[in-house]
């Protein structure tokens, strides 16, 4: 088993592609058909381009606060590629490419960051839970979904995502412990992008690596090169097999790097070293994966350039459609939580209406 061979307590990291996109050991290469390999790459590329465009739209004042995914595409796309259609995705808020792979429309995802909650409402058959911004809440949600699957006897798993900072939150530990004690089919993926907003990984936890946190709960755990799509695919595939065979959850730490800001409200140049950024730019998951596919003669530079143009046009066209949807009515912000609006919220609604009327004059 990979979780035994690459023991996180021995500081071992699982990698199939080296930093330049070459195979490290042929025996470690997972069985993935060519169609799936290309879909993985194309989705990661679409995610990168849609992400770049979203950042531009926000800077132009056309989109609300946005959380970029640049550099982390492999860490959340490859795990979804390793699942069956009936499995559940429980996202945090930085998994756009993975959601696209699972079948979510880019229009929906842009709509969410445009401030419309309809963008968080996915077709039931996709089995994607809504984006949940509260840190680490996804682990409890995922544990609940996984326990329900076990209770019903369904051969399906839930994959929940959390950031490195989230692994210090209570819900991470509560959810992981619950899944372990109930042997529920849950796969937890920590996207360790090494920054909890501006707090470095070293200041967040004294654990030698975040995968080792699962050992205390009796959960098979593994530290994976999160910028290596083949390694992430293989680790999740093994975890899924273990889960549907009744052997409980797995914890996977995807060691990656956030090449952009935490959100568009953040400025990483204040706290991050340029040399650190340059180091990780050379380990970009899309560059590595592209080289692997070109070596396998599944992709050419010309085809890649064509895809990039296609995805830029698609992203622009999709966002213009979202802009035409207009703004959400003010009442929608207040109306769907309580059966009867509390007094303080009634007062807030009245105040906002008054401000809107004064601005309109």
């Amino acid at each position: 088993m990979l979780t035994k061979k690459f023991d996180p307590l021995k500081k071992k990291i699982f990698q199939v592609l080296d930093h330049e996109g070459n195979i490290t050991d042929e025996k470690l290469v997972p069985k993935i058909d060519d169609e799936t390999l290309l879909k993985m790459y194309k989705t990661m590329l679409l995610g990168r381009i849609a992400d770049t465009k979203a950042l531009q739209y926000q800077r132009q004042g056309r989109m609300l606060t946005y959380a970029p995914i640049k550099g982390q595409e492999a860490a959340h796309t490859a795990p979804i590629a390793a699942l069956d259609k009936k499995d559940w995705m429980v996202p945090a808020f930085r998994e756009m490419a993975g959601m696209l792979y699972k079948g979510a429309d880019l229009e929906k995802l842009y709509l969410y960051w445009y401030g419309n909650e309809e963008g968080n409402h996915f077709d039931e058959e996709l089995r994607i839970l809504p984006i949940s911004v509260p840190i680490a809440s996804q682990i409890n949600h995922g544990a609940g979904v996984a326990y329900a699957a076990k209770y019903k006897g369904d051969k399906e798993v839930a994959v929940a995502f959390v950031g490195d900072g989230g692994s210090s939150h209570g819900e991470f530990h509560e959810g992981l412990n619950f899944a372990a004690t109930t042997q529920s089919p849950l796969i937890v993926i920590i996207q360790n992008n090494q920054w909890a907003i501006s707090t470095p990984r070293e200041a967040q936890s004294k654990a030698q690596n975040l995968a080792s946190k699962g050992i205390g709960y009796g959960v098979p755990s593994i530290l994976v090169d999160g910028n290596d799509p083949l390694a992430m695919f293989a680790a999740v595939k093994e975890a899924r097999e273990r889960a549907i065979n009744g052997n409980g959850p797995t914890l996977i730490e995807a060691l990656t790097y956030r090449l952009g800001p935490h959100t568009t409200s953040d400025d990483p140049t204040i706290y991050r070293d340029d040399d650190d950024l340059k180091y990780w730019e050379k380990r970009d998951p899309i560059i590595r994966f592209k080289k692997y596919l070109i070596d396998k003669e599944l992709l050419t530079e010309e085809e890649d350039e064509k895809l990039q143009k296609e995805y830029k046009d698609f992203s622009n066209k999709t966002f213009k459609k979202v802009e035409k949807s207009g703004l959400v009515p003010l009442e929608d912000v207040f109306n769907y939580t309580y059966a009867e609006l509390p007094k303080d919220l009634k007062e807030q609604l009245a105040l906002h209406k008054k401000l809107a009327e004064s601005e309109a004059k």
Side-chain angles (χ1 to χ4, degrees):
M1 286 199 305
L2 292 172
T3 48
K4 287 188 175 178
K5 186 173 182 180
F6 296 91
D7 185 346
L9 292 179
K10 296 178 180 175
K11 299 183 180 180
K12 289 187 176 180
I13 181 167
F14 176 45
Q15 184 185 62
V16 178
L17 285 179
D18 69 14
H19 296 150
E20 295 179 346
N22 302 304
I23 296 294
T24 58
D25 183 346
E26 288 289 346
K27 294 177 183 174
L28 295 175
V29 179
K31 291 181 181 177
I32 311 177
D33 61 65
D34 293 347
E35 183 181 356
T36 301
L37 282 170
L38 279 173
K39 182 180 177 183
M40 288 166 62
Y41 177 74
K42 289 179 179 179
T43 309
M44 287 168 58
L45 184 63
L46 173 59
R48 173 68 61 90
I49 290 171
D51 178 75
T52 302
K53 301 299 291 184
L55 195 59
Q56 292 171 355
Y57 301 140
Q58 199 281 335
R59 296 306 190 212
Q60 293 165 1
R62 299 163 66 189
M63 185 181 273
L64 302 181
T65 301
Y66 174 71
I69 67 168
K70 185 179 180 182
Q72 298 182 217
E73 295 88 350
H76 56 262
T77 303
I80 302 303
L83 300 181
D84 278 6
K85 187 177 180 182
K86 61 187 177 183
D87 294 331
W88 294 85
M89 179 180 187
V90 187
F93 54 85
R94 208 186 298 278
E95 289 84 29
M96 181 167 70
M99 296 171 84
L100 289 170
Y101 193 98
K102 194 98 169 66
D105 292 334
L106 180 59
E107 182 181 344
K108 282 270 187 182
L109 301 176
Y110 273 170
L111 198 63
Y112 172 79
W113 294 107
Y114 191 66
N116 190 328
E117 283 294 330
E118 280 298 315
N120 224 354
H121 184 199
F122 303 105
D123 291 341
E124 289 184 13
E125 64 180 20
L126 295 181
R127 299 201 159 190
I128 303 174
L129 264 62
I131 293 171
S132 181
V133 174
I135 307 301
S137 58
Q138 306 80 22
I139 310 306
N140 278 348
H141 300 162
V145 170
Y147 182 67
K150 179 182 179 180
Y151 185 80
K152 294 191 295 180
D154 295 336
K155 293 289 186 182
E156 58 196 36
V157 306
V159 178
F161 292 86
V162 69
D164 42 301
S167 72
S168 298
H169 281 235
E171 287 187 298
F172 169 84
H173 299 277
E174 294 156 7
L176 199 60
N177 188 59
F178 179 84
T181 54
T182 58
Q183 287 290 277
S184 297
L186 174 68
I187 301 170
V188 173
I189 297 178
I190 303 172
Q191 287 201 80
N192 175 10
N193 65 22
Q194 306 182 46
W195 292 95
I197 308 182
S198 58
T199 303
R201 153 70 180 91
E202 295 75 20
Q204 297 170 43
S205 172
K206 294 297 287 181
Q208 63 181 18
N209 55 59
L210 302 179
S212 65
K213 293 186 177 186
I215 306 299
Y217 295 108
V219 173
S221 304
I222 186 170
L223 171 60
V224 181
D225 180 344
N227 286 4
D228 176 352
L230 301 188
M232 287 301 299
F233 183 98
V236 173
K237 201 72 174 175
E238 180 182 279
R240 185 182 188 280
E241 286 300 307
R242 185 162 42 244
I244 62 172
N245 287 324
N247 296 312
T250 299
L251 175 64
I252 297 171
E253 177 186 354
L255 184 63
T256 181
Y257 193 80
R258 191 191 75 210
L259 293 175
H262 172 71
T263 69
T264 46
S265 299
D266 173 45
D267 179 4
T269 63
I270 297 173
Y271 56 82
R272 194 163 65 186
D273 192 317
D274 279 349
D275 290 340
D276 200 29
L277 181 61
K278 289 175 184 173
Y279 173 87
W280 282 97
E281 283 177 338
K282 293 178 181 175
R283 288 153 176 74
D284 188 311
I286 290 181
I287 295 173
R288 290 163 64 177
F289 199 23
K290 176 182 164 183
K291 188 211 179 270
Y292 172 70
L293 295 179
I294 287 177
D295 288 349
K296 280 181 69 73
E297 298 183 345
L298 292 177
L299 183 73
T300 66
E301 289 286 359
E302 292 75 21
E303 288 169 339
D304 189 62
E305 288 177 12
K306 188 177 177 182
L307 284 173
Q308 291 193 42
K309 183 180 184 311
E310 178 186 332
Y311 293 159
K312 284 177 185 173
D313 292 344
F314 175 63
S315 298
N316 279 325
K317 185 179 177 182
T318 301
F319 188 68
K320 285 178 181 175
K321 190 175 178 183
V322 168
E323 281 186 310
K324 287 182 180 176
S325 69
L327 299 176
V328 174
L330 180 60
E331 287 78 4
D332 278 11
V333 179
F334 292 85
N335 276 346
Y336 303 107
T337 301
Y338 297 96
E340 184 176 346
L341 210 58
K343 180 173 178 290
D344 59 333
L345 290 184
K346 286 180 180 175
E347 292 172 354
Q348 283 188 33
L349 176 58
L351 179 60
H352 280 290
K353 280 185 174 177
K354 189 175 179 181
L355 287 171
E357 288 169 2
S358 65
E359 289 177 357
K361 290 180 180 176

